[in-house]
Amino acid sequence: MSKNQVDLNFPKGGVFFIIIGVLGLILFSKSTVTIGPGEGGVIFETLGDGINTSKTYGEGFNILMPWNKMIVRKVRQQSISDEMNVLSVNGLEVKVNGTIWYEPEFQNLGSLIKTKGEDYERELLDPAVNAAARSVVGRYTPEQLYSSKRDVIEQEILDEVRLVLEGQFLTVKRVLVEDVKLPPTIKQAIERKLKQEQESLEYEFRLVTAQKEAEKVIIDAKGKAESNRILSASLTDKILQDKGIEATVKLSESPNSKVIVIG
């Protein structure tokens, strides 16, 4: 083999190895996935039956066949907020702003995605929350929604959402009703009524306080009168005479005394 032949063959071998190296890098990049903190992954088998529901992959470095795909979703607790138009028990439209905390079931992430798709919040969670909110809010008057029933409403919505999502591989942790918006005229009427009720309670409190003070004065007066009556009944002429003598003796002992009149 001549020197010229060696020089001609070498570049061809180098190109071949470069191509092999590039293909290897591509295959490696297609075969590895890093799952971040608070995330989980399921494999979509392109040449198989689609989503593999038997295993959920956790955080860290994972290797898969290059023709498969790893679907990665958050599996820690998450929240979504929404504003819903609902009707009260008397048919008045109100707007409810709320937030819901939810968490996919880690072991069943594959089943969740296979049955509801990757956008399972929109397909599953949103309809359940809206249906529960309409059902619960429809039991109350605007005044109850505006004032005293917020905690009860939150718990009832949570209970209904959990009932709807039972067996759907999605856990709802908490529901928070942040604001209930009523039409301005209704809101003003409720505020006026609440103000009048507060003023009435304050007036009743003042009346009760004044009545108790009056009763106290009467009791004190009766006590003093009874004391005077008992004292008067016990003061006989002999006792008064002894008291007068006792006072005269004390007066005579005073260094400033000059004249003592008896009788």
Side-chain angles (χ1 to χ4, degrees), residues 115-133:
T115 57
K116 301 303 177 181
E118 293 185 52
D119 193 13
Y120 50 77
E121 289 92 349
R122 183 176 61 85
E123 297 292 336
L124 180 63
L125 190 60
D126 286 350
V129 173
N130 283 315

Side-chain angles (χ1 to χ4, degrees), residues 86-91 94 132-141 145:
V86 294
L87 299 178
S88 64
V89 68
N90 54 4
V94 298
R134 288 185 172 89
S135 174
V136 173
V137 173
R139 305 169 190 166
Y140 296 97
T141 65
L145 296 172

Side-chain angles (χ1 to χ4, degrees), residues 102-247:
Y102 68 97
E103 182 179 316
E105 295 178 5
F106 180 83
Q107 297 297 334
N108 296 311
L109 182 61
S111 298
L112 175 61
I113 295 176
K114 191 176 185 68
T115 57
K116 301 303 177 181
E118 293 185 52
D119 193 13
Y120 50 77
E121 289 92 349
R122 183 176 61 85
E123 297 292 336
L124 180 63
L125 190 60
D126 286 350
V129 173
N130 283 315
R134 288 185 172 89
S135 174
V136 173
V137 173
R139 305 169 190 166
Y140 296 97
T141 65
E143 184 176 353
Q144 291 172 326
L145 296 172
Y146 184 76
S147 55
S148 60
K149 293 292 184 178
R150 192 72 56 87
D151 294 341
V152 176
I153 292 171
E154 290 176 351
Q155 186 60 46
E156 290 184 358
I157 293 177
L158 178 60
D159 292 340
E160 292 214 10
V161 170
R162 285 177 172 173
L163 184 63
V164 172
L165 296 180
E166 186 176 1
Q168 301 284 347
F169 317 117
L170 195 64
T171 303
V172 176
K173 299 291 188 177
R174 185 185 175 190
V175 172
L176 176 63
V177 177
E178 297 166 340
D179 189 24
V180 177
K181 297 180 181 179
L182 304 176
T185 53
I186 301 299
K187 181 180 178 181
Q188 292 170 4
I190 292 174
E191 289 177 345
R192 285 196 300 269
K193 181 179 178 181
L194 293 175
K195 182 179 179 181
Q196 291 172 354
E197 291 177 351
Q198 183 64 31
E199 291 175 347
S200 177
L201 291 174
E202 291 178 357
Y203 179 71
E204 290 179 1
F205 176 77
R206 289 197 298 269
L207 287 179
V208 171
T209 302
Q211 183 178 358
K212 289 183 177 179
E213 289 294 333
E215 292 175 353
K216 181 180 178 181
V217 171
I218 292 173
I219 292 173
D220 290 343
K222 289 182 177 180
K224 291 180 180 179
E226 181 65 18
S227 176
N228 291 334
R229 185 188 66 78
I230 295 173
L231 181 60
S232 298
S234 63
L235 291 177
T236 62
D237 291 342
K238 178 61 176 175
I239 292 176
L240 292 175
Q241 184 178 5
D242 290 342
K243 291 292 183 181
I245 294 171
E246 182 179 345

